[in-house]
Amino acid sequence: MSELRNARHLSVHDLRRRINEGDIDTVVVAFTDMQGRLQGKRLHAVHFAEDVLDHGTEGSAHLFTVDVDMNIGDRYAMSSPAEADGDIRLVLDLQTIRLLPHQPGTVMVQSDAVWPDQTPVVQSPRTILKQQLAAVARRDYAVLVGTQLQFMAFNTSYEDAWTAHYRDLALANQYSVDFSILGGGRVEPLLREIRNTTYAAGMDVASVKGERNLGQHEIGFRDTDALTAADNHTVFKTMAKEIAAQHGKAITFMAKYDEGQGNSCRIELSLRSPDGSTVFWGNTGRTRVFDAFVAGLLATLYDFTLLYAPNINSYKRFAVDTLAPTAIAWGLDNRCAIRLLGEDQSARVENRVPGGDVNPYLACAAMIAGGLYGLDHDLELGVGLTGNVHSSDFPTIPRTLREARQAFASSQIARAAFGDDVVDHYTTVADVELDAFDAVVTDWERRRSFERM
């Protein structure tokens, strides 16, 4: 029987008992798609217990070839009728069984995607992360990850926001509430339910605080093993949106909603030895492992930016003279792309490139792969960045999705770390996004050109 992640997750025995007693009537079987969203199905609990719990269930391979609007692409290597129109199997991870307190009588279990012959779907984000975790485990290291995720809240329902074309929405705060207790209190009914409900669902919430943009808040999670962190992060985003909808409100994790500060997702990572102690800190301070790992993150940051910033909108956040990073550099400043934090057992590295739209599995996988590249090549950590982070002489991250796509597609480091199938697949994801963007005429164009050009 699988070990529980914490006391708030359900064992198989407890789940069966609750189903038999009628407390649970619905089981959500979910997996994470390329955009970092939960996909799957809701099953009647009795059917789940009798026919699915021991064997998993089926899904459709086309879910790994759709864009955010669920348009099925025909440009992927896995888009052939034998694959894209066929079935995949969803193999349940029984460590992930959790109650969904905001949905009566409902639990969720997350799953891995495999082909009918039980071979993994290598393009699956969860598989990609597990591949990197296996690589780091061969060095006898474990990976701990914590995330701090920002979002913007609106006193407008999702339905009304759609009808309004997402323009002129009523923000939950009319002024900046950066660290403001008063400002956070204005939104506390929503924030409190999000905090407490997600904690009850097995997520270790640390804090929620106001941020700089209007209606913007940040939630922080305590560090845990990397796979659990990515699983929780993905479930949180779905739960938070559902809870907001129940309040007649909406929240967005867009990297950049307006001209104000964008939504970031800071990812903190540390390596641990088998006894749980850090390998990033020794008697004399930072270890050679720490420096080489960070050097690898920096050496691969340009090539791997596509996995940290996957959408057109992601790159709007990297504006000059904002808190978002642009220079490929490490430092202690909270605007550096790679920031070194803590000391002794709390020593960790923080990646500040990802935005709120990041797929956490892909970002964590990229950080591990980059760090391992630094360890494998015994890279030296160069000088850190001080002063103005935007006017430095350091190289910069890609500033557009097109540039990031090209860097990832041509990267031999990426192909060695993830395999050609993964690189080609996510390059195509970017191509589909770019083609859709290039075909659209925007409000901005109409305002500038309709009469005056």
Side-chain angles (χ1 to χ4, degrees):
M1 185 173 295
S2 298
E3 180 182 353
L4 295 182
R5 286 179 164 176
N6 60 47
R8 284 161 282 132
H9 283 81
L10 299 184
S11 67
V12 172
H13 174 78
D14 195 25
L15 175 59
R16 287 189 183 275
R17 177 183 60 79
R18 292 182 185 227
I19 292 173
N20 290 336
E21 293 175 354
D23 294 334
I24 299 298
D25 56 53
T26 302
V27 178
V28 178
V29 175
F31 68 95
T32 304
D33 71 3
M34 300 178 301
Q35 289 81 19
R37 305 172 300 179
L38 290 180
Q39 306 286 12
K41 59 181 77 174
R42 287 176 168 83
L43 305 177
H44 191 280
V46 174
H47 167 65
F48 174 84
E50 294 179 352
D51 300 320
V52 176
L53 181 55
D54 293 331
H55 309 290
T57 188
E58 75 284 344
S60 179
H62 83 263
L63 292 169
F64 288 109
T65 67
V66 295
D67 65 8
V68 72
D69 287 325
M70 304 305 292
N71 298 308
I72 301 175
D74 59 1
R75 300 167 57 178
Y76 297 89
M78 63 182 295
S79 294
S80 66
E83 291 190 345
D85 292 335
D87 283 344
I88 56 175
R89 296 295 299 173
L90 301 181
V91 178
L92 308 181
D93 184 340
L94 299 179
Q95 287 188 318
T96 69
I97 304 171
R98 67 177 91 225
L99 287 168
L100 300 181
H102 67 301
Q103 302 283 4
T106 302
V107 301
M108 176 183 288
V109 58
Q110 289 166 271
S111 57
D112 288 301
V114 303
W115 295 112
D117 65 1
Q118 299 301 309
T119 57
V121 177
V122 297
Q123 297 88 349
S124 164
R126 201 170 194 261
T127 299
I128 293 168
L129 176 55
K130 291 175 78 171
Q131 175 195 39
Q132 294 305 314
L133 290 173
V136 80
R138 289 192 287 271
R139 292 177 172 267
D140 287 331
Y141 295 149
V143 182
L144 296 186
V145 166
T147 60
Q148 290 85 45
L149 177 62
Q150 294 177 353
F151 57 89
M152 293 178 67
F154 302 86
N155 292 327
T156 305
S157 71
Y158 283 110
E159 291 75 16
D160 288 344
W162 171 279
T163 301
H165 303 286
Y166 302 101
R167 303 187 194 103
D168 303 320
L169 305 185
L171 288 153
N173 300 97
Q174 287 73 45
Y175 54 87
S176 176
V177 295
D178 192 18
F179 281 94
S180 169
I181 298 300
L182 176 62
R186 295 282 293 276
V187 196
E188 179 61 4
L190 173 63
L191 299 180
R192 181 176 184 272
E193 185 167 349
I194 288 175
R195 282 196 314 273
N196 292 340
T197 305
T198 53
Y199 180 84
M203 303 170 214
D204 289 326
V205 176
S207 64
V208 175
K209 69 180 183 67
E211 280 292 338
R212 294 195 175 194
N213 205 351
L214 308 189
Q216 188 177 51
H217 298 266
E218 177 183 276
I219 187 164
F221 296 94
R222 296 170 60 187
D223 63 349
T224 184
D225 72 274
L227 185 63
T228 298
D231 286 344
N232 287 346
H233 185 108
T234 305
V235 174
F236 168 80
K237 290 180 73 172
T238 294
M239 287 184 65
K241 291 176 184 177
E242 291 174 345
I243 293 168
Q246 291 172 355
H247 282 250
K249 300 179 185 296
I251 61 177
T252 185
F253 297 98
M254 286 181 66
K256 187 78 166 175
Y257 170 73
D258 58 14
E259 293 78 11
Q261 179 170 299
N263 290 320
S264 71
C265 176
R266 298 192 297 277
I267 300 177
E268 296 180 2
L269 180 149
S270 64
L271 293 186
R272 299 297 171 125
S273 62
D275 65 2
S277 61
T278 183
V279 298
F280 278 175
W281 202 267
N283 294 332
T284 59
R286 293 200 322 256
T287 64
R288 177 73 190 124
V289 170
F290 196 2
D291 282 3
F293 192 93
V294 173
L297 279 179
L298 294 170
T300 58
L301 194 59
Y302 187 85
D303 287 7
F304 292 179
T305 294
L306 182 64
L307 301 184
Y308 302 131
N311 302 306
I312 290 281
N313 181 254
S314 306
Y315 296 83
K316 296 289 187 178
R317 183 172 147 261
F318 302 127
V320 176
D321 296 328
T322 68
L323 293 180
T326 54
I328 298 177
W330 72 272
L332 305 180
D333 189 287
N334 67 0
R335 294 170 297 170
C336 292
I338 302 298
R339 186 184 180 200
L340 306 191
L341 296 172
E343 56 185 36
D344 198 30
Q345 291 300 307
S346 68
R348 61 202 186 278
V349 60
E350 180 182 76
N351 186 348
R352 300 190 65 259
V353 174
D357 59 343
V358 72
N359 184 324
Y361 299 93
L362 300 181
C364 290
M367 290 182 70
I368 295 167
L372 290 181
Y373 179 81
L375 294 176
D376 289 341
H377 293 81
D378 197 27
L379 297 184
E380 296 288 339
L381 182 60
V383 63
L385 175 60
T386 58
N388 190 324
V389 299
H390 296 293
S391 63
S392 70
D393 294 327
F394 287 86
T396 62
I397 61 174
R399 302 307 294 272
T400 65
L401 179 62
R402 202 176 306 277
E403 184 181 350
R405 174 258 183 233
Q406 184 57 35
F408 189 65
S410 61
S411 172
Q412 294 307 308
I413 300 175
R415 293 184 180 277
F418 306 114
D420 289 339
D421 287 343
V422 169
V423 173
D424 292 342
H425 192 82
Y426 284 89
T427 297
T428 303
V429 173
D431 288 339
V432 170
E433 176 87 348
L434 286 163
D435 286 351
F437 177 75
D438 290 342
V440 171
V441 176
T442 67
D443 286 352
W444 181 84
E445 292 171 276
R446 292 190 182 99
R447 283 197 303 269
R448 294 172 71 86
S449 304
F450 189 88
E451 176 181 352
R452 292 177 289 176
M453 295 291 285

